[in-house]
Amino acid sequence: MPLGDSITDGFGTPGGYRIELFRRTLMAGQHITFMGRNVNGPATVTDGATTTPFPQRHEGYSGYTIDPGGGRQGISPLVDGALSTFHPQIILLQIGTNDIDLNLDVANAPVRLGALLDKITTDAPDALLVVARITPLNYDAGNARVEAYNAAMPALVESRVAAGKHILLVDMYAPFVADPSFKTSLLADQWHPNPAGYAVMAGVWYEVIKSSLR
């Protein structure tokens, strides 16, 4: 279950990172499908000479924050229904970009993220939850806040892993900023990756979940 905001939705590139993530599983001879109440992306994905229907479902919500606030809707109220409906085995969570960009209760954003992690692991205790450090924005002041938010995530994850929760942390920020020109080479606008950026995200997700795929 891809879960998050417009970056999960694939704003600007319908299907977003899900396209290349699906292609990578095909190339490895593995199987994956995506779950959720929303639908977008290409009809098919081609791997060499093989064309396969693309699973278009997801739980990405454009403009959403972690929780409702600041005039925005949040994904936290949506989690119970999504998980009880689809029962995913793996959940890919990236959320917080809109909170950080809007400077919306940034000091408490890690606390609010932690509560979301607890909600997900309570609702789906047997699923693997993979939470991502968020991708950068295209302006430095915003990225200072992004870095602070991302820096709080390891402690959130480690404490819950110590309590027996099935959570992994991945870093979507470092692979972007490793490219000095990431603001133009990997981002389409102030917030969203371009196709190359979404492919970078797919690679990060795939590396952490590939051992769980068959």
Side-chain angles (χ1 to χ4, degrees):
M1 177 176 287
L3 175 62
D5 51 33
S6 57
I7 295 174
T8 297
D9 174 79
F11 185 90
T13 304
Y17 70 72
R18 294 174 279 121
I19 300 170
E20 186 61 27
L21 177 55
F22 185 63
R23 193 190 325 273
R24 289 192 177 219
T25 65
L26 295 178
M27 291 170 62
Q30 296 172 310
H31 302 280
I32 194 171
T33 193
F34 300 128
M35 299 176 168
R37 290 166 288 195
N38 298 333
V39 177
N40 75 353
T44 60
V45 166
T46 300
D47 164 31
T50 303
T51 298
T52 304
F54 176 69
Q56 298 178 325
R57 293 188 173 274
H58 63 93
E59 284 284 323
Y61 294 87
S62 185
Y64 277 49
T65 50
I66 300 168
D67 299 307
R72 296 296 184 100
Q73 298 185 73
I75 67 165
S76 60
L78 304 175
V79 165
D80 293 341
L83 296 178
S84 64
T85 299
F86 295 102
H87 306 287
Q89 295 175 310
I90 300 171
I91 301 154
L92 305 181
L93 172 66
Q94 179 172 302
I95 191 67
T97 295
N98 292 308
D99 303 72
I100 301 306
D101 179 56
L102 295 168
N103 209 1
L104 178 63
D105 190 25
V106 169
N108 291 312
V111 175
R112 295 186 288 111
L113 176 63
L116 179 60
L117 300 182
D118 292 338
K119 180 189 284 279
I120 293 170
T121 55
T122 298
D123 284 354
D126 297 324
L128 172 63
L129 171 58
V130 186
V131 57
R133 284 175 158 167
I134 63 174
T135 49
L137 301 167
N138 78 342
Y139 63 104
D140 295 341
N143 283 332
R145 299 194 298 270
V146 169
E147 289 174 4
Y149 175 64
N150 282 342
M153 289 191 197
L156 294 177
V157 171
E158 289 163 10
S159 63
R160 287 159 176 82
V161 169
K165 307 300 183 182
H166 304 296
I167 308 180
L168 294 174
L169 178 66
V170 297
D171 192 346
M172 293 293 177
Y173 186 85
F176 275 69
V177 300
D179 180 347
S181 63
F182 75 90
K183 292 175 184 177
T184 54
S185 63
L186 297 177
L187 295 180
D189 56 22
Q190 184 167 309
W191 312 273
H192 304 100
N194 60 22
Y198 281 125
V200 169
M201 292 184 69
V204 175
W205 288 127
Y206 181 71
E207 286 303 311
V208 78
I209 69 170
K210 64 182 181 181
S211 63
S212 299
L213 303 177
R214 299 291 182 267

